[in-house]
Amino acid sequence: MLDTVQMQEMQRRLQEKYAGWWEPVDPQRGLNKLMWMIAEVGEAAQILKRKGAQGVMEQPDVRADFVEEMCDVLMYFNDVLMCYGITPE
């Protein structure tokens, strides 16, 4: 499992790779990143609401969708941290 330092480093590399495609990571865009993260949390919650915990645990397609949304949440979470220079230290 990745720790916070590894996750932030991976996110930095992705930001570099997709520079020009993705919105930059800076304090002026922190609110945007936070709003995108909240939207992704909502999508994950909708899956749980519609399919329940049992669906997420037992139905491979539902689980895959849920995992994808949670990965998006983590990505935006790390973006928000990076926007404001927040590190594990």
Side-chain angles (χ1 to χ4, degrees), residues 28-56:
Q28 290 73 30
R29 291 175 177 85
L31 178 60
N32 292 351
K33 301 292 187 176
L34 183 64
M35 298 307 286
W36 282 110
M37 183 187 76
I38 291 167
E40 297 296 342
V41 167
E43 291 179 17
Q46 283 287 35
I47 292 169
L48 281 171
K49 182 179 174 183
R50 284 184 276 125
K51 301 297 182 174
Q54 190 171 356
V56 168

